[in-house]
Amino acid sequence: MLHLEVDKRIAERHTSGALDVSVLEALLPNSKPHDFESFLFDYKVFLGQDKTTPSVVKGESIIKDIAAFFNSMGGYILSIFDIEKNDLDVFTFLSDNDKLNQRITGFLGKNIGIRTLITSAEIEGLRRPVVLTFIPKRPISEKPRPFIKNSTNIGAPDKPKFLFSKGGLYCRYEHECKPANEDIELLNFLYSDRHWKPDFQVNVKVENNLPPRDPNLIQFVGRKTSLEALWNWITEPRRPIRVLTAAGGLGKTTVAFEFASQLLDRPGAGLDKVVWLSGKKITYAATLGKLVPTTRCDFENVDDLLDNFLIQVGFTEAEIRDLSDRDERISKSIEAFATLSILLVIDDVDSLPKEEQNDLFAVISQVISAANYQNDNSRVLFTSRLELLTGKEQRIGLNGFDGKDFEEYVDINVRYLIEDVTQAKGVNSSRNRILDASAGSPIFITSIIRLVSLGHDVGKAVLEWRGKNGEQIRAFAFEREIAQLSASQKEILYALQLLSRARIEEIKEICGITSVELEQDLSTLKEYHLYSTKGDPVAGTILEVPEPIRLM
């Protein structure tokens, strides 16, 4: 209970903006620091015992912690010095409020308004100089601040090592200052209201038009790496576009929907609206084993999409009818993105013909890039089987489930679909067969386990899924890609599926084509995620086609 009482008192002082003796009294009861730290305060003790660490490193360590406090809930850092053995450079660094703010601005790209109180306090019978640093809480409407440059190199010139690196996003969580870039829980916390106590939380939902959650989705599982990449993208300046790309059936829409849903309760993302526009007309309900219509289809061409986007940001249908051409629609869309902070999710881009997909990507890129000069909070997320006209840094690729995510997903499906204990044991003892057949695709896994629930043993279920029972779902996943391929590309893919694994020289010889022709066709097949590569120290690069694609 002592922790909560202290936290409450500190939170009250911090909320009021206090930087005075009342804060010192809360931090130094009976002239002695608490034996714990928290979300809201930290102790730095400089008593001359650490003579090996350079002063600049000590100072930048404090800057790292200040950034973590600011991104989180704000707070206080109390630095305690020895009268005779104090580190004068650190004391001077913390004592000069203007220079401290200048240094922090240089690392974060913003003056966050640090304030300091230089005084002394009786601590355990000795009068010691102290510096109390007040770090404000980042406003809810403002995104977390990553570092915009590296700290001083504390390693060797040829093996640099940094206290923090450019792009590093730090968070004060409980009693530690932690990097959050690769921790989905910390990222979720940073974008939340960040109240120190749940009683204070007020849910403020971002305005949105998300469709109903897919009723065939049993439970969202895993995808930690993809979600972390999306959360980190939100903080990146001048990086307004990302494409979630993968072969059919790997859950692009599901990941995009989960991310958009998480954003709705997290005002720290700085968004005014989340707009969801989908070109998907039908989807495969794996739990039902059939194709079903979607609840809505928002666009069938580029102009449809622009019109629907403008409606979602406040234009009336009459106003849109008065727009003379696409250029006017583009101009109004730029204005909307520049005025409001919007996440636009364009789902299932590949529902359009290939030439229109690239046209759509080019138009939306033009819109968001122009608006970005005035408002770099707006973002566009595409889901597409194709990689579109993107560079590597703009793409987030999805793979099938494996490891713990695969195990968890199978467990959830078994609990949901199978009541018979014997059937459940059969699935659990044949997980490797299910993984091989499905290549980790969520809808493929579910469709196989569904067959087991209908009375087949696992072996028969896998065989039937590889045959007639799986044709419809494989066509749903891959038919678009196959239809887009040229005759030579289909020939290469067919040769690959016959061989299962092959070297480039083998495919070139079988298909009777030149190296240049093979490279061009492989590039297209790779863009559609129709094969993968593995390095072999003896045989060289090996091309492989996943089992579900081979079955096509």
Side-chain angles (χ1 to χ4, degrees):
M1 291 299 294
L2 175 62
H3 285 237
L4 290 178
E5 291 172 6
V6 173
D7 281 349
K8 182 179 179 182
R9 188 175 177 191
I10 295 297
E12 289 170 348
R13 303 310 299 142
H14 189 270
T15 301
S16 69
L19 184 65
D20 54 30
V21 68
S22 68
V23 181
L24 287 177
E25 288 172 350
L27 291 175
L28 298 169
N30 302 315
S31 300
K32 184 177 180 181
H34 295 288
D35 60 0
F36 61 89
E37 296 164 0
S38 79
F39 276 107
L40 293 163
F41 67 91
D42 191 5
Y43 295 115
K44 301 292 180 187
V45 181
F46 299 95
L47 300 178
Q49 72 272 31
D50 180 8
K51 298 179 180 179
T52 58
T53 303
S55 296
V56 66
V57 174
K58 294 178 184 177
E60 290 182 358
S61 176
I62 294 174
I63 287 176
K64 180 186 72 175
D65 291 351
I66 287 173
F69 271 106
F70 174 75
N71 282 331
S72 302
M73 296 183 296
Y76 297 94
I77 295 177
L78 181 64
S79 303
I80 303 170
F81 296 85
D82 185 277
I83 295 175
E84 297 178 353
K85 300 179 180 178
N86 61 330
D87 191 324
L88 290 176
D89 289 339
V90 178
F91 182 79
T92 303
F93 171 71
L94 289 176
S95 301
D96 192 325
N97 196 77
D98 290 340
K99 285 187 178 180
L100 178 60
N101 275 297
Q102 288 173 9
R103 288 292 304 278
I104 294 168
T105 301
F107 282 113
L108 295 180
K110 174 186 172 65
N111 187 334
I112 62 176
I114 300 302
R115 293 188 288 129
T116 52
L117 172 69
I118 297 91
T119 184
S120 62
E122 193 79 20
I123 301 174
E124 298 180 338
L126 294 174
R127 175 63 56 175
R128 301 188 188 279
V130 300
V131 178
L132 181 63
T133 307
F134 175 93
I135 305 106
K137 177 183 177 180
R138 171 175 53 90
I140 286 178
S141 60
E142 189 175 311
K143 293 184 295 188
R145 285 271 166 181
F147 285 103
I148 62 173
K149 64 180 183 180
N150 296 335
S151 68
T152 301
N153 179 16
I154 58 176
D158 58 336
K159 292 184 179 180
K161 181 180 178 182
F162 305 102
L163 283 174
F164 51 82
S165 302
K166 182 179 179 180
L169 186 63
Y170 279 80
C171 170
R172 177 74 179 185
Y173 196 76
E174 296 181 343
H175 64 285
E176 294 181 273
C177 295
K178 301 179 177 181
N181 301 74
E182 297 180 4
D183 190 320
I184 194 67
E185 291 185 13
L186 294 184
L187 288 168
N188 272 278
F189 167 71
L190 283 182
Y191 286 95
S192 71
D193 288 334
R194 295 163 288 131
H195 289 300
W196 75 274
K197 195 176 179 182
D199 295 349
F200 292 162
Q201 289 185 357
V202 178
N203 288 327
V204 181
K205 272 200 178 277
V206 176
E207 190 176 337
N208 70 93
N209 73 328
L210 290 188
R213 186 177 289 276
D214 182 355
N216 297 294
L217 176 66
I218 301 170
Q219 181 179 320
F220 185 83
V221 171
R223 304 305 193 188
K224 179 177 180 287
T225 301
S226 301
L227 289 172
E228 285 171 355
L230 288 167
W231 279 111
N232 282 301
W233 165 55
I234 291 292
T235 67
E236 293 180 16
R238 309 300 178 195
R239 301 272 190 179
I241 293 173
R242 283 292 184 275
V243 178
L244 270 173
T245 180
L250 288 180
K252 299 180 292 294
T253 298
T254 301
V255 172
F257 189 92
E258 176 66 18
F259 176 62
S261 299
Q262 289 182 5
L263 280 170
L264 298 185
D265 294 315
R266 290 165 177 82
L271 294 173
D272 299 310
K273 293 181 76 75
V274 173
V275 177
W276 181 284
L277 299 176
S278 178
K280 191 176 293 185
K281 294 181 179 179
I282 60 171
T283 187
Y284 191 88
T287 55
L288 301 176
K290 63 180 182 179
L291 293 168
V292 296
T294 56
T295 55
R296 72 177 204 232
C297 175
D298 300 305
F299 63 89
E300 294 185 8
N301 54 55
V302 178
D303 292 323
D304 273 358
L305 186 138
L306 291 173
D307 286 349
N308 272 307
F309 171 71
L310 291 173
I311 286 173
Q312 292 302 323
V313 296
F315 284 76
T316 65
E317 291 185 7
E319 288 173 325
I320 292 172
R321 282 195 298 271
D322 288 340
L323 300 176
S324 60
D325 55 19
R326 181 181 290 183
D327 285 343
E328 280 201 42
R329 287 169 168 78
I330 289 173
S331 178
K332 294 299 183 184
S333 298
I334 293 171
E335 183 182 315
F337 272 118
T339 304
L340 298 169
S341 294
I342 301 167
L343 170 67
L344 170 61
V345 182
I346 303 178
D347 179 46
D348 210 46
V349 175
D350 36 272
S351 59
L352 303 179
K354 185 175 180 181
E355 60 275 10
E356 287 193 40
Q357 295 177 40
N358 289 331
D359 186 25
L360 170 61
F361 183 78
V363 167
I364 297 301
S365 296
Q366 175 189 347
V367 168
I368 191 66
S369 297
N372 201 240
Y373 286 105
Q374 298 178 61
N375 178 11
D376 69 356
N377 281 336
S378 288
R379 297 285 188 270
V380 179
L381 175 64
F382 297 87
T383 72
S384 174
R385 303 178 188 209
L386 278 172
E387 296 178 347
L388 302 174
L389 303 172
T390 57
K392 183 179 179 182
E393 75 285 350
Q394 291 179 299
R395 299 192 298 267
I396 299 174
L398 291 183
N399 298 311
F401 283 136
D402 59 9
K404 291 182 179 178
D405 288 348
F406 171 74
E407 299 291 338
E408 182 181 355
Y409 192 75
V410 170
D411 289 342
I412 289 168
N413 276 268
V414 169
R415 287 198 299 270
Y416 183 81
L417 294 171
I418 295 179
E419 295 181 1
D420 184 88
V421 175
T422 302
Q423 289 179 342
K425 287 182 178 177
V427 170
N428 290 330
S429 63
S430 303
R431 294 185 178 219
N432 288 339
R433 295 182 69 180
I434 295 172
L435 181 59
D436 290 342
S438 67
S441 162
I443 60 171
F444 292 173
I445 295 168
T446 300
S447 64
I448 292 171
I449 295 176
R450 175 183 170 273
L451 289 177
V452 177
S453 75
L454 296 176
H456 300 300
D457 63 57
V458 178
K460 187 174 180 182
V462 170
L463 285 175
E464 293 215 3
W465 189 86
R466 282 177 165 151
K468 200 72 177 174
N469 254 316
E471 280 184 1
Q472 189 181 47
I473 190 171
R474 289 195 296 275
F476 168 75
F478 303 125
E479 198 167 39
R480 290 184 201 171
E481 288 93 324
I482 302 298
Q484 295 284 345
L485 300 180
S486 67
S488 64
Q489 290 158 4
K490 289 177 182 176
E491 184 178 357
I492 291 169
L493 187 61
Y494 187 58
L496 274 172
Q497 74 89 14
L498 287 174
L499 294 171
S500 180
R501 303 174 80 244
R503 292 182 294 111
I504 288 177
E505 290 300 319
E506 291 175 317
I507 296 299
K508 189 170 69 172
E509 184 178 343
I510 290 170
C511 297
I513 56 179
T514 67
S515 295
V516 173
E517 290 170 330
L518 179 59
E519 287 174 9
Q520 291 172 342
D521 285 340
L522 284 177
S523 177
T524 299
L525 293 173
K526 187 173 183 180
E527 191 177 5
Y528 282 112
H529 311 281
L530 292 175
Y531 76 93
S532 59
T533 59
K534 288 187 178 179
D536 187 307
V538 177
T541 300
I542 301 295
L543 310 181
E544 294 185 337
V545 178
E547 174 75 358
I549 296 174
R550 291 184 64 211
L551 293 172
M552 282 292 291

